[in-house]
Amino acid sequence: MNVFKRKGKENKDDTLEMESLKEPMPDEVFEHELQNLLKEDSEGNHKKKKVRKKWSKKRKIITIGAGAFFGLFLLFSIFGGKKQAMIVHTFPLVKGEVVEELSISGPVQGTDSVEVVSNLHAEILELPVKEGEKVEKGQVLAVLDDKDAKKELDIAKNAYDLAVSTYQDQQTEAENGYAKAKQDYDTAKINYDRTLTLYQAGSASQVEMETASNTMNDAKRQLSKFTLKNGKPIANESYTLQIEKAAFEVEQKTEALNNTKVTSPIAGTVVRVNCKVGRFADKTDDDKPMFIINNLDVLEMKINVSEYSIGKVSIGQPVEITADILGTESVKGEVSSISPTGEEKGNGSTERVIPTTIRIIDQNSRLIAGITAKAKIELNKAENVWTVPFASVIQNPDGTMAIATVENNVVKMIPVKNGVESDIQTEIIPEEEGALKEGMQVIDAPTELLEDGTTVVVAPSGQ
């Protein structure tokens, strides 16, 4: 048995040191295997190697086993002193489906959620509902002490009545005052006209004329002090404003009295009760709302999508939802809304995220609000296309891609382009139409040693 140690130098020249344990390898065999392993041109230029796309950790794991196998096989072939064709594993090319998905976790909640609060400093007398109970819109959730609210309403009503009474008195006074002022003006006007006629005839003096004029003007000024609406006198506007203010107070106090019965603004389920009988309605535990009501008939998920992925997400896209509470089952959903603005991801990250809502379509499931679920959003889907694992695709130095097929134990490289990608598979599209055929043998993890025309041995299935 012979053992070889290979050492690398900075000028890329390789040497082999041989330690003989039993019998030395013949020189001609050694030279032949060495030339095959370290094949270079006469000018010392290395042959360009094929390179792969930068793979994720998951994709690298797929190819580690295959690469190790080929490396061990090559060493066995050389050090065993006998050149053999490389063994490859293949699979038949078939058409299938490739789905690109985005997986994000988020909370499940009801579509409608309201927080019921009260600003009344009133004692809670009754709590007719408990957590978990379903309620209808307008149903009473709590009954508060209404004594103070009733007193305040009575005071507001009295103030309103006084404002109305004052207005009516002022209106009567305005009507009577206007009537007298109008009468005085009309009398003064008649006297003025008569005096003017006599003055023009020389029968009235200048003093009499001035007196009649002054009297008429005084009556006119007195008449102008009254406000008319549609030709009729009305009380000063300030009295109308007093009535409006008093009416508003009555409305506010009436609403406060009605609010001593706290009701649900929506139909739903009481998910939280943060108040107790004997406590004040505006002084709840930790200043939380008295009640939280959720509409659990229709559930939804709130998730944050990265700014790098949101461009592939659109309203109406199907979503598969899983959760621990569902076991191996899943429910269907769809993207229902996408926020028009992003927000900070947090934890010191500069990445932005976009709040996105997923409506859960399957309502008759074991999903409940308040738990965390995982949403798989279908970003892209290709059906009835050629599909291969990522490890089967080679990327050449010029950026082109290919797959390695085997026909009559000879490797044939077929140029392709990739299409829709999942986590482990990709759609491939041949550069030349018709180059791919159903059942053709594709090498599952081609190494850099393979090239067009290389002779290989296809390993039996299962080995």
Side-chain angles (χ1 to χ4, degrees), residues 113-284:
S113 179
V114 295
E115 297 180 347
V116 182
V117 299
S118 175
N119 59 358
L120 296 180
H121 189 67
E123 183 183 352
I124 301 173
L125 301 180
E126 298 179 36
L127 288 174
V129 299
K130 298 178 181 178
E131 289 187 4
E133 290 188 17
K134 287 190 174 183
V135 294
E136 298 298 327
K137 182 178 180 179
Q139 183 173 334
V140 175
L141 305 175
V143 178
L144 311 182
D145 187 354
D146 61 2
K147 291 193 297 292
D148 291 342
K150 286 181 177 179
K151 289 180 181 179
E152 291 179 1
L153 178 58
D154 289 341
I155 294 172
K157 285 183 176 180
N158 291 336
Y160 174 79
D161 292 341
L162 179 60
V164 171
S165 178
T166 301
Y167 170 80
Q168 291 174 346
D169 290 343
Q170 292 299 317
Q171 179 65 27
T172 300
E173 183 178 336
E175 291 174 358
N176 293 336
Y178 179 77
K180 183 179 182 304
K182 182 71 167 59
Q183 183 179 6
D184 292 344
Y185 173 75
D186 290 342
T187 300
K189 180 70 168 59
I190 292 173
N191 182 58
Y192 172 81
D193 292 341
R194 183 177 64 79
T195 302
L196 178 62
T197 301
L198 292 174
Y199 176 77
Q200 291 175 343
S203 300
S205 66
Q206 179 70 29
V207 174
E208 290 175 327
M209 185 67 221
E210 291 177 356
T211 301
S213 176
N214 292 336
T215 301
M216 183 187 68
N217 289 333
D218 289 342
K220 186 176 182 180
R221 283 192 295 271
Q222 193 66 29
L223 185 65
S224 66
K225 293 180 179 180
F226 294 90
T227 302
L228 301 180
K229 186 176 183 179
N230 298 325
K232 295 182 179 181
I234 59 174
N236 189 283
E237 186 179 4
S238 62
Y239 297 100
T240 303
L241 295 176
Q242 290 178 8
I243 291 177
E244 292 178 355
K245 180 181 178 181
F248 178 75
E249 286 293 323
V250 171
E251 182 181 344
Q252 292 291 98
K253 299 306 179 182
T254 300
E255 183 179 354
L257 179 60
N258 293 336
N259 287 341
T260 57
K261 287 183 172 57
V262 181
T263 59
S264 176
I266 65 170
T269 301
V270 180
V271 296
R272 291 290 181 273
V273 177
N274 299 312
C275 53
K276 298 177 182 179
V277 172
R279 301 285 296 273
F280 288 100
D282 61 343
K283 299 294 183 183
T284 58

Side-chain angles (χ1 to χ4, degrees), residues 25-62:
M25 178 182 283
D27 291 342
E28 63 273 19
V29 175
F30 172 81
E31 291 297 331
H32 180 68
E33 296 298 340
L34 179 61
Q35 289 174 8
N36 286 336
L37 181 62
L38 308 172
K39 188 174 182 180
E40 299 179 355
D41 57 29
S42 59
E43 297 178 355
N45 294 326
H46 292 283
K47 190 173 185 180
K48 286 187 178 179
K49 297 181 179 180
K50 299 180 179 66
V51 297
R52 299 187 182 280
K53 295 190 291 183
K54 186 176 181 181
W55 288 341
S56 66
K57 182 177 180 181
K58 180 185 294 185
R59 298 178 190 173
K60 289 179 179 177
I61 291 174
I62 295 175

Side-chain angles (χ1 to χ4, degrees), residues 311-349:
K312 297 181 180 180
V313 178
S314 59
I315 294 177
Q317 282 179 323
V319 180
E320 180 185 8
I321 299 167
T322 57
D324 291 340
I325 196 173
L326 297 177
T328 58
E329 298 178 3
S330 64
V331 297
K332 295 180 180 179
E334 67 178 14
V335 178
S336 59
S337 68
I338 301 173
S339 174
T341 59
E343 58 187 36
E344 292 183 359
K345 184 177 182 180
N347 297 325
S349 174

Side-chain angles (χ1 to χ4, degrees), residues 60-125:
K60 289 179 179 177
I61 291 174
I62 295 175
T63 60
I64 286 176
F69 171 81
F70 287 123
L72 290 174
F73 174 79
L74 180 60
L75 290 173
F76 177 80
S77 298
I78 296 175
F79 298 156
K82 182 179 181 181
K83 182 178 176 68
Q84 299 182 19
M86 182 181 294
I87 298 178
V88 297
H89 286 270
T90 65
F91 62 89
L93 182 65
V94 295
K95 287 189 174 182
E97 177 183 284
V98 182
V99 180
E100 182 183 2
E101 294 178 331
L102 176 66
S103 296
I104 304 178
S105 297
V108 178
Q109 61 188 44
T111 50
D112 289 330
S113 179
V114 295
E115 297 180 347
V116 182
V117 299
S118 175
N119 59 358
L120 296 180
H121 189 67
E123 183 183 352
I124 301 173
L125 301 180

